[in-house]
Amino acid sequence: MAQRAVSINGVLRGLVPWAGAIVSALLVLLCLGTVLAVFLRAESAAQFSRSDWVAVRFTVTQAFLSALLSVVLAIPVARALARREFRGRHTMIALLGAPFILPVIVAILGLLAVFGRTGVFSIVLGWFGLPPVQIYGLHGVVLAHVFFNLPLAVRFLLQGWAAIPAEHFRLVASLGGGPRDVGRLLERPMLWRVLPGTFALIFLICTTSFAVALALGGGPKATTVELAIYQAFRFDFDLSKAALLAVVQLVLSGSAAIAAWKFSRQHDAGQGLDRVVQRYDRAHGRLADAAWLGFVVLLLGLPLVMVVMQGAAGFLSMPASVWAAAGRSLLVALASTCLAVTFGLALSLWLARLRGAPRALGEMVAYLTVAVSPLVMGAGLFILIFPFASPRDWALPITALVNAAMALPFVTRALMPAVEACEAEYGPLAESLRLRSWARLRYLTLPRLRRPIGFVAGLAAALSMGDLGVVALFADPEQATLPLKLYDLMGAYRMEAAAGAGLLLMGLSFGLFYLFDRGGRMNASV
Amino acid sequence: MLRFENVVLEQGDFRLTADFTLEAGTQAALIGPSGAGKSTLLSAIAGFLEPSKGVIRWQRESLSGVPPGDRPMSILFQDNNLFPHLTVAQNVGLGLRPDLRLSKAETAQVTETLARVRLAEKADEKPASLSGGQNARVAIARLMLRAKPLLLLDEPFAALGPALKSEMLELVSTLAAETDATLVMVSHDPDDARRIANETVLVAEGVAHPPKPTETLLAHPPAVLAAYLGH
């Protein structure tokens, strides 16, 4: 028995260096194997119909408009943030990070409360005798995407501004240059460098959008490819159509991903955002800057405030099933977090040792899920599991797995620099002391990477907590996660209960992020 | 003995050849201009860089392909010789067992060694709360525990200031002498070489020259060494 335990231990130890390779194989299987599974299971080749074509066109149009509006609006906002010093600047930059971990369905709840038929905005319009706005359709989808991606664009541009050396501003000022010259000599070149990558990234994010289209789109004219996949699978169980659309989606977001990758290599994770650029043209445009900052605070803040206000009112009228759904969501989120962190760590440690072409290939695999539809992944897993067990029994584990895979690009991106720094600084010492596999993980990697691990665990947990994607495919009412439950409540026009559930979901997502991120920082010595 | 057989080290455009023997128990300094390849030679002995040609042998055994941790040596780097997130005792204990599953006897050994370098009361503290000299002694305590026959120093005490640096070098030199270990140290300072090293290897212009008695070499330096020393 002891002999056996030793050998299993030995096998596990042998696996550690290969963990990253195993994870990437799993990812390839999840991303491409599932598409293949859907393909093989399809009985006949589907025809590319008119409505599919409409879906492709709608996907591209809304993604283009969303990306364009996001980056165009981000320019004056980022410039205002870069050159103004004011109380609450720090809070505002933090607020810009919030949409990333805000559940999509909660944001939609908030946007409906502001821009819906009976929302604040329509009421104000009514005072002037104007008809209420209509949020469903193309402009609703674009509005929601701008809500999520404008902050992202602002953060990227703010990094661009922060990267302009202070000396350059001094130089232009000393040469007698005004705001116009600063723009021409410093800001415009920076924007040309940063904007294409930012645009491409947002375009990519918007092409894979599902929950926004599910809630605000719909109808033959406002269906994204992702939504069409969902409908083909869930309503028609038309696997050949789902497979065809899956390939379309792969090509679409794959090309967007390649463009984003080509343009955005110089971006680094948020550093130096707190620094106000010292510059000499401050007297200029003070009012305009204030207006732009006010606009963003309103756009981001108002929906969130509405969620809190309406949610507090509806908190007591929530059915018990909401709490059960919250419990399931928590379990899924925690499982997904464990998977995402384990996968991400294994991948990063493996990638850090590779060089040249294998490294580029490995990184591509790590970021593969950016371009792949989680719905196709779910559908493929459904088909693979079907012969052995009832997929519905596996809905939650599959959701956790797919969520982890979807979080992996962000997790890997945040972990890689920390892993590389740790290896560069302490790798030789660890080597010379024969610190390997488990011991190395325990005494070097995990303690050194506490902070980034806490951060990415928070990201993964919040993303999984708020995810409304693959779980919708399998949706059994008694297995619903909280976002799905919330969507059902909205669909049944139980708006009070929905508002309460929305507040609960937002609180859980932000709470999970806060706890993990804090946990990484606590007692982290040196 | 440590033997370099027609060794060629290459890193990009950089190239260094070495073909000589150091007898076991020697205390040798590597001296030469910056960028000449002193540290490169040391990392080749330690196993961080494989020679592109030739073989490095320790007591007739080839070291080719042997990972750093399995070589009969201990090395101190220029910095990062301690893990800042582990306690002093853990840092030293790693020298006995990398998985830190220390037996009672081993734990006692760690305590005893820390007492030898006068750091017994700092056992549970983290390196950040110790002075530079104390941290150096923690690293030396680990050298003592590992008790490897080959000690490599890549100027680990350079940041300490002259007096403390000499003290630490003396400590390591004494340790090497007591255990009959071979000591190879990179040095910028001819005085260090004089004090510690009976032999010196001149590393310059792409060649690590065979060792010469330190006094002789420094008294009659070749042109390149004379230029470096400023004679």
Side-chain angles (χ1 to χ4, degrees), chain A residues 431-432 434-435 443 448 525, chain B residues 69-70 80 84-85 98 126 146:
Chain A
E431 285 297 319
S432 77
R434 268 179 60 198
L435 208 54
Y443 294 115
R448 295 294 322 150
S525 51
Chain B
D70 295 338
N80 298 327
H85 51 274
K126 300 263 175 81
R146 278 169 65 81

Side-chain angles (χ1 to χ4, degrees), chain A residues 141-373:
Chain A
V141 170
V142 171
L143 173 69
H145 282 160
V146 170
F147 174 85
F148 278 107
N149 294 304
L150 172 63
L152 187 71
V154 171
R155 282 174 73 96
F156 276 160
L157 294 190
L158 203 48
Q159 274 170 38
W161 254 287
I164 301 177
E167 290 80 3
H168 290 186
F169 285 104
R170 266 180 237 160
L171 187 60
V172 174
S174 74
L175 295 173
R180 217 172 260 264
D181 305 290
V182 169
R184 186 168 44 83
L185 293 169
L186 301 179
E187 299 181 324
R188 238 168 284 162
M190 180 279 291
L191 288 175
W192 280 122
R193 226 176 29 248
V194 179
L195 282 180
T198 309
F199 179 90
L201 184 70
I202 295 174
F203 182 85
L204 166 65
I205 293 172
C206 295
T207 56
T208 57
S209 168
F210 168 69
V212 167
L214 179 70
L216 294 177
K221 276 204 212 143
T223 297
T224 60
V225 178
E226 285 280 281
L227 190 55
I229 293 172
Y230 166 76
Q231 286 160 351
F233 189 80
R234 176 116 174 119
F235 299 140
D236 310 331
F237 204 70
D238 184 348
L239 290 176
S240 50
K241 175 58 60 84
L244 180 73
L245 290 170
V247 174
V248 170
Q249 178 69 53
L250 195 65
V251 171
L252 196 63
S253 32
S255 6
I258 290 170
W261 181 70
K262 278 224 147 103
F263 286 128
S264 66
R265 306 198 71 175
Q266 67 270 31
H267 291 153
D268 259 330
Q271 273 163 359
L273 292 187
D274 281 344
R275 186 166 65 94
V276 178
V277 182
Q278 181 73 43
R279 46 195 290 177
Y280 306 90
D281 53 353
R282 288 238 182 106
H284 182 83
R286 190 172 291 234
L287 253 175
D289 281 353
W292 279 112
L293 293 176
F295 159 72
V296 163
V297 168
L298 274 184
L299 178 71
L300 297 184
L302 207 50
L304 294 185
V305 169
M306 292 307 286
V307 167
V308 173
M309 276 168 48
Q310 300 190 337
F315 216 72
L316 293 173
S317 59
M318 285 193 301
S321 58
V322 168
W323 292 103
R328 275 190 295 274
S329 269
L330 262 178
L331 283 181
V332 169
L334 291 177
S336 175
T337 305
C338 287
L339 288 175
V341 170
T342 312
F343 289 176
L345 207 53
L347 265 181
S348 312
L349 286 169
W350 181 61
L351 285 176
R353 285 190 322 213
L354 299 180
R355 293 284 171 271
R359 164 94 174 237
L361 202 68
E363 284 189 354
M364 224 174 79
V365 172
Y367 298 126
L368 198 55
T369 51
V370 164
V372 172
S373 154

